[in-house]
Amino acid sequence: MGSITDVAGIRVGHHQRIDPDATLGSGWATGVTVVLAPPGTVGAVDGRGGAPGTRETDLLDPANSVRWVDAVVLSGGSAYGLATADGVMTWLEEQGRGVALDGGVVPIVPAAVIFDLPVGGWDKRPTAEFGYAAAAAAAGPDGDRAASGSIGAGAGARAGVFKGGVGTASVTLELGDQVVTVGAIVVVNPSGELIDATTGLPWSNLLIEEFGLTAPPSEQLAILAGLEPKSLSLNTTIAVVATDAALSPAGCRRMAVAAQDGLARAIRPCHTPVDGDTVFALATGAVEVPPLPGTPDAMSPETGLVTVVGAAAADCLSRAVLCGLLAADPVAGIPTYPGTVPGAFAERLTGGTGGL
């Protein structure tokens, strides 16, 4: 399904702490994921959940003065985890990245968090040191390929009754003589479910087909039906979508808005009062796309481009959500979807066309 790092210049780093013998509510199971953007990257954000935990999102309003974003932080630890952005800022300052002011630079680092404290423990949350390590990892040799599963901010994530995690995906678009790449990375920790308990399959028929899934046997459905529902206090799905297309701040914001549809396709219910669903958008500007044919003269020249890129961002994000579910490892006794209903993967194991 690709990776957000298929967008040239975007790099991803993770840092987490997971105790091998952790049980639910006892032992470390949390972390942070950092998305580094190349210089000159435009940023935006859209929040749809009723319980967000964020930092530096107001400055992404297209009406405000900040032009570029240096990094985006996705973290565990609830509001405590926002401290991880301090470590990312420290690392970026050491690299000379940020808004140049008299006497130094101020890195622009928006952040959002998930509520994972009851998984590992209320006193076990990521710190600025986690953020620094994740930023350094993003700049390292592994930062050009984003890992998935119970890693980084996905270490303590839950996706309904199952273990959640980090997922990523990408797609390329041929727009005239230009090729545009769109990617997404997501930390899957919703209060809603990704899987319909009556079928054992994702809500979206398109995702079922794309991933080559099939209905599991009745005995596995019975096991699924018996899993204890997730508490409504364990919530929030946070994500970054990115493109190499040149977008204005307003166009980047519309991309973030459109990408939220990807969450709604994969999660039910979504954008609830107890979720803090937040999607950041990044546009590196490496590919200049002329106005697409059919764009009305009275509209912005980028209207057609934003429409196409936004739709692709939504598709990528819905795929990334399911990737995060499939790639997750068991942590703190939380079961995984593949481990609970292996029959859903029979078609893939016998040569089906879907899969990661």
Side-chain angles (χ1 to χ4, degrees):
M1 290 291 167
S3 164
I4 192 173
T5 55
D6 293 333
V7 178
I10 297 293
R11 302 182 67 86
V12 174
H14 305 281
H15 186 74
Q16 67 284 326
R17 181 175 174 183
I18 301 175
D19 291 342
D21 57 349
T23 57
L24 197 61
S26 177
W28 282 89
T30 192
V32 61
T33 295
V34 172
V35 180
L36 286 184
T41 295
V42 174
V45 66
D46 183 73
R48 297 292 174 93
T54 58
R55 167 173 166 162
E56 295 279 48
T57 52
D58 283 352
L59 60 79
L60 297 180
D61 188 317
N64 290 334
S65 301
V66 168
R67 298 178 62 191
W68 298 309
V69 170
D70 297 298
V72 176
V73 176
L74 308 176
S75 181
S78 189
Y80 296 106
L82 293 172
T84 58
D86 292 340
V88 179
M89 289 187 69
T90 298
W91 186 88
L92 286 165
E93 182 184 27
E94 293 174 356
Q95 317 308 311
R97 287 285 306 272
V99 177
L101 299 170
D102 291 341
V105 296
V106 178
I108 304 302
V109 185
V113 294
I114 66 168
F115 184 61
D116 61 354
L117 297 177
V119 175
W122 284 79
D123 60 340
K124 297 173 176 62
R125 54 225 189 197
T127 62
E129 287 72 25
F130 277 61
Y132 188 98
D142 294 330
D144 60 353
R145 187 70 183 175
S148 298
S150 302
I151 189 170
R158 292 186 68 175
V161 296
F162 293 120
K163 181 70 181 72
V166 171
T168 187
S170 68
V171 67
T172 57
L173 307 171
E174 294 187 6
L175 302 177
D177 59 355
Q178 300 287 356
V179 176
V180 168
T181 303
V182 179
I185 189 167
V186 60
V187 183
V188 187
N189 187 68
S191 62
E193 299 287 349
L194 276 63
I195 301 301
D196 181 352
T198 62
T199 65
L201 295 171
W203 300 107
S204 167
N205 287 333
L206 182 60
L207 289 177
I208 293 171
E209 180 179 351
E210 286 183 337
F211 282 78
L213 304 177
T214 189
S218 57
E219 60 269 22
Q220 294 177 12
L221 287 177
I223 295 173
L224 171 57
L227 295 179
E228 182 178 354
K230 178 182 176 183
S231 167
L232 282 178
S233 65
L234 283 163
N235 49 61
T236 299
T237 300
I238 52 179
V240 179
V241 294
T243 183
D244 52 10
L247 297 178
S248 68
C252 200
R253 169 70 191 283
R254 295 309 308 176
M255 178 183 172
V257 169
Q260 289 275 14
D261 291 346
L263 297 185
R265 294 173 196 167
I267 302 166
R268 186 177 298 181
C270 191
H271 306 145
T272 74
V274 297
D275 285 286
D277 300 335
T278 302
V279 176
F280 296 95
L282 300 174
T284 68
V287 180
E288 292 279 353
V289 180
L292 299 184
T295 301
D297 292 340
M299 293 187 178
S300 166
E302 68 175 358
T303 298
L305 174 62
V306 170
T307 300
V308 173
V309 168
D315 290 341
C316 279
L317 190 48
S318 64
R319 294 183 189 119
V321 168
L322 192 53
C323 286
L325 181 73
L326 298 184
D329 295 316
V331 172
I334 305 170
T336 66
Y337 172 56
T340 303
V341 286
F345 303 88
E347 182 177 333
R348 289 173 59 189
L349 296 175
T350 56
T353 59
L356 299 174

